[in-house]
């Protein structure tokens, strides 16, 4: 049975489509309506097709990169002694507490909330659908299908696939395989222009959603080129399209296709890859947040394949601008990433991070924040001090794509090929202008020794926190529970530990770690409050899926925390209706 999905404040309400309950009024064209009837207008429409939501806050709060500073936690003093400390800090809003406890968010429709993500991704889908519909109408009315028009159709299909990919990986369980994922509830896959206030949708299942994503992705790839783009890195350009394909197939566990699409961007000769990777050599003269952020987020940076401008306060939530928040990258979480000696560095902090804009809030006790996520504020009224916060996401980068290729190679037992890729990334980190005497290349003996223990993220760290490390990383034996198609063999476990070490650092604070925890079935827990309540997520816990917004549940859509064959929606308390006000007007801007 289908459920009603009400398109209200969180829904797709576009000025290009007139919505009303009166059929007569629908026949009348509003004065402000824009007819999308030329090639240039269709191209301009795609500027507004990209999602303006940032999933990082939701995903980081649900993942294992943050700790509750109010809970007793381990901290080393200046003499290396282990202390047990806690603080009395406030969370930014109640939503943060709910997500950290793996609960449905009942209290927020604001920036970075699940409501914000749901609306943004579905509005992105809606604009893509309008563009696709406009292309067909344009051709039906005698318009010529030029190479530009074919390319913009490819872009629209890729945007639609990408937004659904984000939705299903946030609000559903991780993909397992074509059969097992039929039991996991998916997300509505919208392929038509919405012209009604109320539409009946079924969430379907994860397998079905992945199949539809793949169809749009492959068709989009066959059409995409850069001929219609004036500023390619703010769009799905050809290279970004291949990077998305590599990520999709990594999550789907089609490893040969991961390598194929990664090679289309990176090439096959690892000796020539360095110009594409991030260069840390330019940070020595930088002194401000903004300068550090621009060094990462600039469209001229070769490492960046696609950039997205989001409306977000993620930087503040992680501790930026001196915010002393309850949930930060501190203590054991930090020791598992950059705040430790590592396989290829001899300092207590990863050297390239030291040089590249890693800041602390209220002293290191309150956690770390990276300039990669810097917020810029766009004032609508400077006197009143109101406006819109923005965070630029480097959605696809060569560095992450290289790690995705390395993972695929490991799973195909090409460990030497993976070592070449990992060492290429390591070499790019050595482009910093200082600390080079404290870093080394990654080599086979280093991997064999440093990651020899099943759950190890490093020998030094293991000695300090052996029980915690094993609990956090596991021994990979449980991965066979996710799918019989996905088992990390004993001889590959050290390689996967090494890969995940690099990947966790490279994607720190952008939310990627949460997706990795889900797709690998890694079991972890959050310790909450001064009483140290432990909240554990097993590999098959339904709470691994973020619950859809409460206003969507209230409209009758199925809960994320039921199976695809279970239709009952049983909220734990009365859902709150959304009172958020969101802009729905499409603007046309061909400058990007």
């Amino acid at each position: 049975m289908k459920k009603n999905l009400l398109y209200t404040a969180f829904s797709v309400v576009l000025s290009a489509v007139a919505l009303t309950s009166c059929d007569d009024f629908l026949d009348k064209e509003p004065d402000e309506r824009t007819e999308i009837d030329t090639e240039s207008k269709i191209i301009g429409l795609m500027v507004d097709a990209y999602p303006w939501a940032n999933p990082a806050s939701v995903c980081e709060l649900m993942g294992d990169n943050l700790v509750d500073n109010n809970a007793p936690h381990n901290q080393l003093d200046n003499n290396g002694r282990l202390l047990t400390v806690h603080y009395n800090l406030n969370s930014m809003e109640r939503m943060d507490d709910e997500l950290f406890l793996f609960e449905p968010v009942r209290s927020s429709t604001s920036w970075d909330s699940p409501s914000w993500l749901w609306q943004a991704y579905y509005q992105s889908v809606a604009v893509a659908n309008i563009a696709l519909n406009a292309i067909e109408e344009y051709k039906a009315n005698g318009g010529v299908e030029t190479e530009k028009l074919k390319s913009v159709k490819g872009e629209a299909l890729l945007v639609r696939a990408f937004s659904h990919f984000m939705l299903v990986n946030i609000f559903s369980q991780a993909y397992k395989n074509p059969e097992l994922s039929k039991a996991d509830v998916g997300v509505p896959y919208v392929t038509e222009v919405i012209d009604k206030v109320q539409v009946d949708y079924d969430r379907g299942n994860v397998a079905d959603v992945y199949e539809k994503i793949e169809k749009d992705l492959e068709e989009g790839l066959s059409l995409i080129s850069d001929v219609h783009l004036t500023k390619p890195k703010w769009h799905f350009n050809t290279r970004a399209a291949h990077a998305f394909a590599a990520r999709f197939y990594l999550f789907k566990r089609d490893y040969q296709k991961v390598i194929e699409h990664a090679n289309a961007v990176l090439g096959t000769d690892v000796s020539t890859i360095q110009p594409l990777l991030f260069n840390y050599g330019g940070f020595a003269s930088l002194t401000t947040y903004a300068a550090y952020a621009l060094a990462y987020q600039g469209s001229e940076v070769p490492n960046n394949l696609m950039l997205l401008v989001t409306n977000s306060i993620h930087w503040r939530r992680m501790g930026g601008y001196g915010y002393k928040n309850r949930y930060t990258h501190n203590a054991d979480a930090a020791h598992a990433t950059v705040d430790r000696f590592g396989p290829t560095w001899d300092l207590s902090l990863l050297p390239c991070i030291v040089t590249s804009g890693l800041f602390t809030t209220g002293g290191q006790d309150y956690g770390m924040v990276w300039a990669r996520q810097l917020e810029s504020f766009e004032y609508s009224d400077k006197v009143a001090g109101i406006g819109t916060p923005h965070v630029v996401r480097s959605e696809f980068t060569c560095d992450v794509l290289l790690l995705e290729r390395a993972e695929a190679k490991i799973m195909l037992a090409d460990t030497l090929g993976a070592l070449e890729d990992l060492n290429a990334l390591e070499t790019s980190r050595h482009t910093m202008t200082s600390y080079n005497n404290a870093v080394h290349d990654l080599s086979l003996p280093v991997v064999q020794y440093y990651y020899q223990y099943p759950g190890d993220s490093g020998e030094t760290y293991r000695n300090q926190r052996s029980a915690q490390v094993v609990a956090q990383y596991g021994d990979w034996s449980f991965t066979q529970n996710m799918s019989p198609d996905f088992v990390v063999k004993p001889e590959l476990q050290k390689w996967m530990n090494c890969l995940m070490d690099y990947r966790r650092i490279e994607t720190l604070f952008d939310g990627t770690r949460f997706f990795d925890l889900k797709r690998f079935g890694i079991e972890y827990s959050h310790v909450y409050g001064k009483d140290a309540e432990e909240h554990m997520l097993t590999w098959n816990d339904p709470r691994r899926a973020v619950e859809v917004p409460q206003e969507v549940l209230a409209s009758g859509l199925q809960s994320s925390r039921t199976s695809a064959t279970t239709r009952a929606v049983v909220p734990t308390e009365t859902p709150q209706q959304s009172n958020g006000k969101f802009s729905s007007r499409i603007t046309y801007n061909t400058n990007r």
Side-chain angles (χ1 to χ4, degrees), residues 333-376:
H335 292 314
T337 57
V338 299
D339 187 14
R340 60 178 170 90
F341 296 94
T344 59
W345 66 92
D346 299 331
L347 299 179
S348 57
L349 278 171
L350 177 61
C352 69
I353 302 299
V354 173
T355 68
S356 62
L358 184 74
F359 300 97
T360 57
T361 300
Q364 191 163 317
D365 289 346
Y366 297 120
M368 302 175 178
V369 64
W370 205 352
R372 281 186 179 184
Q373 288 78 32
L374 179 71
E375 173 190 317
S376 61

Side-chain angles (χ1 to χ4, degrees), residues 33 101 105 148 411 442:
R33 179 176 173 136
L101 292 170
V105 173
K148 282 188 176 182
M411 294 306 297
L442 189 69

Side-chain angles (χ1 to χ4, degrees), residues 20 69 92 97 115 121 132 152 194 203 244 254 306 310 317 332 339 343 389 412 429 467 478 544 552 568:
T20 181
N69 285 307
M92 181 162 281
D97 303 318
S115 290
Y121 287 121
L132 291 167
V152 78
I194 305 301
R203 291 188 64 166
F244 171 39
D254 190 337
M306 190 174 86
T310 67
R317 186 169 266 111
D332 285 340
D339 187 14
L412 292 174
R429 290 177 174 178
F478 54 80
R544 284 181 178 265
V552 181

Side-chain angles (χ1 to χ4, degrees), residues 403-542:
L403 288 171
E404 290 168 339
R405 186 172 75 178
E407 182 182 327
K409 289 179 178 180
I410 291 170
M411 294 306 297
L412 292 174
D414 179 13
T415 54
L416 292 181
L419 179 61
E420 284 187 336
D421 284 347
L422 292 170
N423 203 44
L425 184 65
E426 182 64 39
T427 300
S428 74
R429 290 177 174 178
H430 299 178
T431 54
M432 57 200 167
T433 56
S434 58
Y435 303 106
N436 277 333
N437 62 331
V439 295
H440 318 283
D441 291 334
L442 189 69
S443 64
L444 182 60
V446 169
V447 175
Q448 297 285 2
Y449 172 74
Y450 194 84
Y451 297 99
Q452 63 183 298
Y453 298 95
D456 198 7
S457 68
E459 177 71 7
T460 302
Y461 182 52
R462 186 185 69 85
N463 290 338
Q464 295 174 358
R465 309 274 202 284
S466 56
Q468 193 274 337
V469 170
V470 172
Q472 183 161 337
Y473 289 87
D475 61 5
W476 294 102
S477 63
F478 54 80
T479 57
Q480 61 187 318
N481 292 322
M482 289 290 291
S483 166
D485 305 325
F486 175 61
V487 178
V488 180
K489 298 176 181 178
E491 63 270 22
L492 299 178
Q493 289 176 11
K494 62 177 67 70
W495 291 96
M496 284 299 290
N497 285 332
C498 180
L499 181 281
M500 291 302 293
D501 207 356
Y502 275 79
R503 183 168 166 84
R504 187 176 182 183
I505 292 171
E506 184 60 36
T507 61
L508 191 59
F509 301 127
D510 72 7
T512 298
R513 174 68 175 174
F514 175 63
F515 299 132
D516 289 347
L517 292 168
K518 287 177 69 169
R519 67 191 179 93
F520 289 133
I522 293 175
E523 300 182 335
Y524 64 103
S525 64
H526 284 172
V527 178
Y528 177 79
K530 295 181 179 180
D531 293 332
E533 304 169 8
E534 185 173 15
H535 297 259
M536 183 75 184
L537 279 190
T538 57
W539 70 271
N540 59 347
D541 196 309

